[in-house]
Amino acid sequence: MPEEQMSSANRPTSLDGRTYHVETKRGEVSNRIITVGDPQRAHAISQHLDMILMTKQSHRGFLTITGMYKHLPVSIVAIGMGSPMMDFFVRETRMVVDGPLAIIRFGSCGSIINGAQTGDIIIGDGAFGITRNYAYFGDASEKDAYVLWPNVDADAVLTEGVVSEMVKGVGAQRVFRGLIGNADSFYGSQGRPGADFYDANEGLLDRVHKEFPQAAALEMESHMLFHLGRVSTGRTGDEPQSVRAACALMVFADREGNSFISPETSRQMTKVASLALLDALVKDMPTQAGLHPVEGSVWQNNL
């Protein structure tokens, strides 16, 4: 439940400027961000920081950790799962940070590409959407049970930086590239079979491969992230894009081999891969020039 009075129905913020869902305010979030779903992964990544300056847990489940890495401010934000949570995070972060944002999603995925095994890293060159067509379930005139939405490209420069650092960190043999299918659910819209519900998804993965031959993985957040990056051009769409985004996904579920990652592999690869992503971020934005003002920020005494 809200603990403070919000100032607006359309852009709810508290009297001191905290956003309603993420609960951060100006000077608490860096322009360099790694976003994850799992808060435990956020805490694991934060162990690489030179120092932690702020930790904020919101009443809606968002965890924000801001600290210093190689003398530059970096934030790690855990958002939970799904496109709506990504939408909350990106929009509310944009509200409280001046200057361009570089956001890298580090999440988990199911691999649908030959050769990618549990623990490997799949880097998205773009992402397409997969949503359930609710009208199909009750309307015989509907052709398809699922809607596939066009690909949205990741930021090319940030993505190449992620690839370079990830190859150095985990080895080229463990890094794959391709398009990411962003589903609106874990089960039905990712083609997982089940006996309890009528999902009509038996041929979904075949259709995905047919329409997107470069499809490499399935998850639930990257399409929204890349879409928001594409449209971060102001209310009338004529301003420079202010959000650049990339994603690196660890294979938790090998859909081809029907295997799931072990806890130990997950811990080991998180440690190495997250270090590569931090390096990619600070190399992409090597100074504070043109970024959020230092004065009044949680990092003002550490630059």
Side-chain angles (χ1 to χ4, degrees), residues 112-133:
I112 56 172
I113 185 174
N114 288 331
Q117 301 178 351
T118 56
D120 289 343
I121 304 295
I122 297 178
I123 296 172
D125 291 306
F128 57 93
I130 309 170
T131 58
R132 193 176 183 94
N133 178 9

Side-chain angles (χ1 to χ4, degrees), residues 276-291:
L277 297 181
L278 287 166
D279 285 334
L281 271 181
V282 297
K283 288 183 178 180
D284 182 79
M285 286 182 168
T287 74
Q288 284 298 106
L291 303 186

Side-chain angles (χ1 to χ4, degrees), residues 206-220:
D206 289 337
R207 183 181 164 207
V208 164
H209 282 300
K210 181 178 179 180
E211 296 194 27
F212 298 96
Q214 293 177 288
L218 300 176
E219 49 91 82
M220 297 188 289

Side-chain angles (χ1 to χ4, degrees), residues 4 11 17 31 53 96 100 125-126 154 180 193 202 234 237 264 289 295 298:
E4 298 182 70
R11 193 182 172 95
N31 301 78
L53 303 172
V96 299
D125 291 306
I180 310 302
E202 291 80 4
E264 181 58 27
E295 185 177 356
V298 296

Side-chain angles (χ1 to χ4, degrees), residues 35 79 82-87 90-91 105 108 124-131 147-155 178-185 212 217-232 243 245-249:
T35 182
I79 68 170
S83 291
M85 298 296 276
M86 181 63 75
D87 187 73
V90 176
R91 289 179 186 271
R105 165 165 157 70
S108 59
D125 291 306
F128 57 93
I130 309 170
T131 58
V147 178
L148 302 186
W149 299 93
N151 175 68
V152 179
D153 289 337
D155 181 79
L179 300 183
I180 310 302
N182 185 172
D184 62 353
S185 71
F212 298 96
L218 300 176
E219 49 91 82
M220 297 188 289
E221 292 82 20
S222 295
H223 187 249
M224 177 61 79
L225 174 60
F226 295 167
H227 167 73
L228 291 173
R230 171 186 281 181
V231 300
S232 62
V243 177
C247 79
L249 306 173

Side-chain angles (χ1 to χ4, degrees), residues 24-37:
T24 51
K25 63 180 182 179
R26 289 177 55 80
E28 291 185 341
V29 185
S30 168
N31 301 78
R32 306 171 191 84
I33 303 172
I34 293 177
T35 182
V36 300

